[in-house]
Amino acid sequence: MKKYFLLLVLLAAFSGKAQKTRTSPIYQLRIYEIFESNKKIFHERFRDHAMRIMEKYNFKIISIYESKSDKKTEFVYFLEWPDETTMKKAWEDFRKDQEWIDIKKMYTQKYGDVVGNIEDRVLTKLDYSPN
């Protein structure tokens, strides 16, 4: 009877932990190199167009930053996703969005490249991370 009870407790603990991992959000860090010569244009495009279109695909942007060093200026933002599958599908849909395709094309024709190198990182919060 004790063994059965212990097994039941372990199974409950394991399934609870597995479920917590499955339902925990993941975070995405995006870093875009932007150019001082058309930084204003980049911000206009992201603020007025990209964010609006991303909203259609349930992007949850949690914070946006700019980082500047002697060598370059970077646009940095964090997103929160329920899971990696949802994230990948949302990005796929966003990149296929005809309005976004047209906006990118128009801005590139008019202003040239507004984004240089792009870095993308998926972050999974560790269980000992502060809340």
PDB file of all heavy atoms in Angstrom, residues 15 17-24 82-83:
ATOM      1  N   SER A  15       3.705  14.675 -13.408  1.00  0.00           N
ATOM      2  CA  SER A  15       2.757  15.183 -14.400  1.00  0.00           C
ATOM      3  C   SER A  15       2.489  16.672 -14.183  1.00  0.00           C
ATOM      4  O   SER A  15       2.325  17.418 -15.130  1.00  0.00           O
ATOM      5  CB  SER A  15       1.462  14.387 -14.383  1.00  0.00           C
ATOM      6  OG  SER A  15       0.776  14.569 -13.169  1.00  0.00           O
ATOM      7  N   LYS A  17       4.679  18.845 -12.980  1.00  0.00           N
ATOM      8  CA  LYS A  17       5.880  19.534 -13.452  1.00  0.00           C
ATOM      9  C   LYS A  17       5.929  19.549 -14.971  1.00  0.00           C
ATOM     10  O   LYS A  17       6.252  20.546 -15.593  1.00  0.00           O
ATOM     11  CB  LYS A  17       7.123  18.873 -12.876  1.00  0.00           C
ATOM     12  CG  LYS A  17       8.367  19.672 -13.068  1.00  0.00           C
ATOM     13  CD  LYS A  17       9.498  19.140 -12.245  1.00  0.00           C
ATOM     14  CE  LYS A  17      10.652  20.121 -12.268  1.00  0.00           C
ATOM     15  NZ  LYS A  17      11.620  19.848 -11.251  1.00  0.00           N
ATOM     16  N   ALA A  18       5.590  18.431 -15.597  1.00  0.00           N
ATOM     17  CA  ALA A  18       5.592  18.353 -17.058  1.00  0.00           C
ATOM     18  C   ALA A  18       4.576  19.326 -17.634  1.00  0.00           C
ATOM     19  O   ALA A  18       4.842  20.011 -18.605  1.00  0.00           O
ATOM     20  CB  ALA A  18       5.289  16.931 -17.512  1.00  0.00           C
ATOM     21  N   GLN A  19       3.421  19.416 -17.005  1.00  0.00           N
ATOM     22  CA  GLN A  19       2.394  20.328 -17.492  1.00  0.00           C
ATOM     23  C   GLN A  19       2.867  21.767 -17.342  1.00  0.00           C
ATOM     24  O   GLN A  19       2.663  22.586 -18.220  1.00  0.00           O
ATOM     25  CB  GLN A  19       1.094  20.106 -16.742  1.00  0.00           C
ATOM     26  CG  GLN A  19      -0.056  20.896 -17.315  1.00  0.00           C
ATOM     27  CD  GLN A  19      -1.372  20.522 -16.670  1.00  0.00           C
ATOM     28  OE1 GLN A  19      -1.463  19.628 -15.858  1.00  0.00           O
ATOM     29  NE2 GLN A  19      -2.408  21.231 -17.054  1.00  0.00           N
ATOM     30  N   LYS A  20       3.527  22.086 -16.241  1.00  0.00           N
ATOM     31  CA  LYS A  20       4.029  23.442 -16.024  1.00  0.00           C
ATOM     32  C   LYS A  20       5.009  23.824 -17.119  1.00  0.00           C
ATOM     33  O   LYS A  20       4.953  24.908 -17.663  1.00  0.00           O
ATOM     34  CB  LYS A  20       4.701  23.543 -14.656  1.00  0.00           C
ATOM     35  CG  LYS A  20       5.218  24.917 -14.344  1.00  0.00           C
ATOM     36  CD  LYS A  20       5.896  24.968 -12.997  1.00  0.00           C
ATOM     37  CE  LYS A  20       6.451  26.358 -12.752  1.00  0.00           C
ATOM     38  NZ  LYS A  20       7.247  26.407 -11.553  1.00  0.00           N
ATOM     39  N   THR A  21       5.894  22.917 -17.482  1.00  0.00           N
ATOM     40  CA  THR A  21       6.860  23.183 -18.543  1.00  0.00           C
ATOM     41  C   THR A  21       6.142  23.402 -19.870  1.00  0.00           C
ATOM     42  O   THR A  21       6.461  24.300 -20.614  1.00  0.00           O
ATOM     43  CB  THR A  21       7.854  22.005 -18.669  1.00  0.00           C
ATOM     44  OG1 THR A  21       8.485  21.845 -17.407  1.00  0.00           O
ATOM     45  CG2 THR A  21       8.878  22.273 -19.725  1.00  0.00           C
ATOM     46  N   ARG A  22       5.156  22.595 -20.152  1.00  0.00           N
ATOM     47  CA  ARG A  22       4.432  22.689 -21.401  1.00  0.00           C
ATOM     48  C   ARG A  22       3.659  23.998 -21.529  1.00  0.00           C
ATOM     49  O   ARG A  22       3.552  24.552 -22.607  1.00  0.00           O
ATOM     50  CB  ARG A  22       3.439  21.521 -21.501  1.00  0.00           C
ATOM     51  CG  ARG A  22       3.626  20.704 -22.737  1.00  0.00           C
ATOM     52  CD  ARG A  22       2.635  19.585 -22.876  1.00  0.00           C
ATOM     53  NE  ARG A  22       2.819  18.571 -21.854  1.00  0.00           N
ATOM     54  CZ  ARG A  22       1.865  18.161 -21.031  1.00  0.00           C
ATOM     55  NH1 ARG A  22       0.661  18.636 -21.110  1.00  0.00           N
ATOM     56  NH2 ARG A  22       2.108  17.252 -20.117  1.00  0.00           N
ATOM     57  N   THR A  23       3.088  24.477 -20.443  1.00  0.00           N
ATOM     58  CA  THR A  23       2.240  25.658 -20.525  1.00  0.00           C
ATOM     59  C   THR A  23       2.981  26.951 -20.198  1.00  0.00           C
ATOM     60  O   THR A  23       2.414  28.017 -20.336  1.00  0.00           O
ATOM     61  CB  THR A  23       1.032  25.528 -19.573  1.00  0.00           C
ATOM     62  OG1 THR A  23       1.514  25.383 -18.241  1.00  0.00           O
ATOM     63  CG2 THR A  23       0.155  24.362 -19.947  1.00  0.00           C
ATOM     64  N   SER A  24       4.230  26.857 -19.768  1.00  0.00           N
ATOM     65  CA  SER A  24       4.986  28.066 -19.459  1.00  0.00           C
ATOM     66  C   SER A  24       5.244  28.844 -20.740  1.00  0.00           C
ATOM     67  O   SER A  24       5.523  28.249 -21.779  1.00  0.00           O
ATOM     68  CB  SER A  24       6.320  27.708 -18.798  1.00  0.00           C
ATOM     69  OG  SER A  24       6.099  27.114 -17.555  1.00  0.00           O
ATOM     70  N   PRO A  82       2.970  31.652 -26.065  1.00  0.00           N
ATOM     71  CA  PRO A  82       2.547  30.522 -25.234  1.00  0.00           C
ATOM     72  C   PRO A  82       3.446  29.296 -25.443  1.00  0.00           C
ATOM     73  O   PRO A  82       3.662  28.516 -24.526  1.00  0.00           O
ATOM     74  CB  PRO A  82       1.113  30.237 -25.668  1.00  0.00           C
ATOM     75  CG  PRO A  82       0.903  30.981 -26.930  1.00  0.00           C
ATOM     76  CD  PRO A  82       1.944  32.050 -27.017  1.00  0.00           C
ATOM     77  N   ASP A  83       3.985  29.150 -26.683  1.00  0.00           N
ATOM     78  CA  ASP A  83       4.850  28.012 -26.988  1.00  0.00           C
ATOM     79  C   ASP A  83       5.555  28.279 -28.323  1.00  0.00           C
ATOM     80  O   ASP A  83       5.215  29.214 -29.051  1.00  0.00           O
ATOM     81  CB  ASP A  83       4.053  26.703 -27.044  1.00  0.00           C
ATOM     82  CG  ASP A  83       2.881  26.794 -28.003  1.00  0.00           C
ATOM     83  OD1 ASP A  83       3.102  26.965 -29.221  1.00  0.00           O
ATOM     84  OD2 ASP A  83       1.727  26.711 -27.533  1.00  0.00           O
TER      85      ASP A  83
END
